[in-house]
């Protein structure tokens, strides 16, 4: 593998210390995943999933937005093809995150490469991506952060499944805006300057325009491609990696 | 009612698709050189995907949700803290439900 990655191969690692660091850094953030997980547990039961189905989905899929999206399609018989496409569409951003972190992940041995990526989400990506750009290239941080999020996500789903009904209307607690608020904040955090805001604005417009005409989830893909294309015209000021 | 076997099969399928998206991005980059243009494209795309999900959420919901998202954006710009932004959005939405309905 002879790429032009900015990271010298020797400088990346995957250590227990890195895993601990990722866990420590993401645990405070995962507190805010909790209401979202509770909301998912409640919604899954309301949709007709059994408690184990909702829990197993959170344990082995571990993708909040996609799990919510697929509930809209949960009917008998299950529309497997639509479900797979929606899963792919909503999760396509993992592809982008994985590509973005690849200069630091790909030099790792296969086993560490797999574990670095297996719990990849927006939150631990953002955390680790910041660290690797600052010169801390221990990819254990990505897995450790994912582990903290995964544990809290599963626990929150369990709470939603078994106790959610006792909470009553989730709107009372603002739980329903958790995902949108989190994504809005993360998106703003990825905009270093005004030029970088142009692709995001383009993406929002495309998402809204194509929403009524494309199958569920595909307006997100159209918007992402439009935003990426706009990024070629209006690139953010290139920042120097230390 | 979805029969249990089919349900678990669907969940397994979802897990596999999701795992492929997690591994796929880094895997493909083994065979592609990372030019500045590719980086620009991917960076713009990363922020765009999240923003597009938010825009879709806003269009599919009401004034309360749109205002809560606006609160998250403003707090994020002011504090650069995603946690503060999420708490503010939740508190705003909860207060809206309590006082406006």
């Amino acid at each position: 593998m002879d790429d032009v990655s900015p990271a010298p191969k020797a400088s990346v690692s995957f250590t227990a210390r890195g895993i601990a660091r990722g866990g420590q850094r993401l645990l405070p953030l995962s507190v805010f995943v909790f209401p979202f997980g509770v909301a998912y547990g409640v919604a899954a039961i309301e949709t007709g999933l059994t408690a184990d189905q909702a829990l197993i989905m959170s344990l082995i899929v571990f993708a909040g937005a996609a799990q919510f999206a697929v509930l809209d399609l949960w009917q008998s018989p299950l529309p497997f093809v639509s479900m797979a496409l929606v899963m792919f569409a909503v999760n396509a951003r993992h592809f982008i995150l994985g590509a973005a972190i690849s200069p630091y992940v790909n030099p790792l041995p296969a086993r560490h490469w797999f574990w670095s990526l297996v719990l990849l989400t927006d939150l631990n990506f953002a955390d680790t991506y910041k660290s690797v750009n600052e010169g801390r290239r221990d990819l254990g941080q990505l897995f450790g952060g994912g582990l903290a999020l995964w544990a809290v996500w599963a626990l929150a789903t369990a709470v939603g499944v078994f106790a959610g009904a006792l909470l009553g209307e989730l709107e009372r607690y603002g739980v329903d805006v958790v995902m949108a608020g989190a994504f809005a904040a993360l998106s703003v955090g990825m905009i270093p300057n005004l030029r970088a805001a142009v692709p995001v604005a383009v993406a929002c417009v495309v998402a809204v325009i194509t929403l009524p005409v494309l199958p569920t989830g595909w307006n997100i893909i159209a918007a992402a491609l439009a935003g990426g294309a706009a990024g070629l015209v209006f690139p953010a000021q290139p920042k120097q990696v230390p | 009612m979805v029969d249990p076997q089919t349900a678990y099969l669907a969940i397994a399928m979802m897990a596999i698709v999701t795992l492929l998206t997690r591994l796929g991005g880094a895997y493909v980059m083994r065979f592609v050189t990372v030019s500045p243009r590719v980086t620009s494209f991917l960076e713009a795309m990363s922020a765009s995907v999240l923003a597009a999900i938010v825009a879709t959420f806003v269009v599919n919901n009401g004034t309360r949700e749109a205002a809560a998202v606006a609160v998250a954006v403003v707090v994020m710009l002011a504090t650069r803290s995603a946690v503060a932004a999420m708490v503010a959005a939740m508190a705003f939405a909860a207060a809206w439900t309590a006082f406006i309905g």
Side-chain angles (χ1 to χ4, degrees):
Chain A
M1 196 198 65
D2 293 308
D3 61 20
V4 292
S5 85
K9 286 167 190 192
S11 74
V12 299
S13 59
F14 185 96
T15 69
R17 256 185 79 193
I19 295 172
R21 177 179 151 87
Q24 276 166 13
R25 287 169 65 90
L26 268 294
L27 208 56
L29 262 184
S30 67
V31 169
F32 300 95
V33 169
F34 200 89
F36 188 35
V38 173
Y40 167 73
V42 172
I45 295 300
E46 278 176 3
T47 303
L49 276 77
T50 65
D52 346 6
Q53 286 162 3
L55 255 174
I56 288 170
M57 196 193 287
S58 280
L59 285 167
I60 70 171
V61 177
F62 180 53
Q67 285 180 234
F68 267 101
V70 92
L71 292 182
D72 286 340
L73 303 173
W74 200 268
Q75 55 198 257
S76 191
L78 284 174
F80 271 76
V81 175
S82 316
M83 286 171 75
L85 289 175
V86 167
M87 288 305 289
F88 187 81
V90 179
N91 281 325
R93 73 183 188 286
H94 289 148
F95 217 81
I96 297 150
L97 304 181
I101 201 92
S102 67
Y104 307 100
V105 175
N106 283 351
L108 292 169
R111 185 165 50 99
H112 290 160
W113 180 87
F114 178 83
W115 289 111
S116 293
L117 295 167
V118 78
L119 296 176
L120 178 69
T121 72
D122 300 292
L123 290 171
N124 57 338
F125 166 80
D127 176 62
T128 302
Y129 194 65
K130 188 166 173 291
S131 291
V132 294
N133 280 330
E134 290 165 358
R136 281 180 167 272
R137 289 163 183 175
D138 187 335
L139 275 302
Q141 190 177 331
L142 193 56
F143 177 65
L147 214 52
L149 296 167
W150 176 77
V152 171
W153 178 245
L155 186 68
T157 303
V159 170
V161 162
F162 295 114
L166 302 175
L167 291 173
E169 284 286 304
L170 289 167
E171 282 78 5
R172 270 173 55 200
Y173 308 97
V175 169
D176 56 316
V177 302
V178 167
M179 183 181 82
F183 285 4
L186 284 168
S187 178
V188 168
M190 288 181 194
I191 302 171
N193 53 50
L194 213 55
R195 284 171 69 84
V198 174
V200 172
V202 168
C204 288
V205 171
V206 170
V208 170
I209 291 173
T210 58
L211 177 63
V213 292
L214 292 177
T216 312
W218 284 94
N219 70 314
I220 305 296
I221 294 302
L225 293 172
L232 292 176
V233 185
F234 297 92
Q237 299 301 323
K239 48 182 188 293
Q240 281 303 315
V241 178
Chain B
M1 191 64 194
V2 177
D3 89 274
Q5 260 188 333
T6 315
Y8 286 115
L9 200 64
I11 293 167
M13 179 274 292
M14 291 166 63
I16 291 164
V17 171
T18 305
L19 182 64
L20 289 178
T21 61
R22 286 196 163 109
L23 302 180
Y27 183 75
V28 166
M29 293 310 259
R30 282 174 189 265
F31 311 104
V32 185
T33 51
V34 190
S35 71
R37 280 177 68 79
V38 172
T39 308
S40 287
F41 183 86
L42 292 173
E43 275 183 358
M45 203 159 166
S46 301
S48 295
V49 172
L50 298 182
I53 290 171
V54 176
T56 305
F57 173 83
V58 167
V59 170
N60 282 337
N61 287 277
T63 316
R64 168 181 170 277
E65 292 76 16
V69 167
V71 166
V73 169
V74 169
V75 172
M76 185 67 186
L77 287 172
T79 66
R80 288 277 146 185
S81 161
V83 173
M86 276 189 282
V87 172
M90 276 183 75
F92 178 88
W96 182 296
T97 302
F99 298 115
I100 301 175

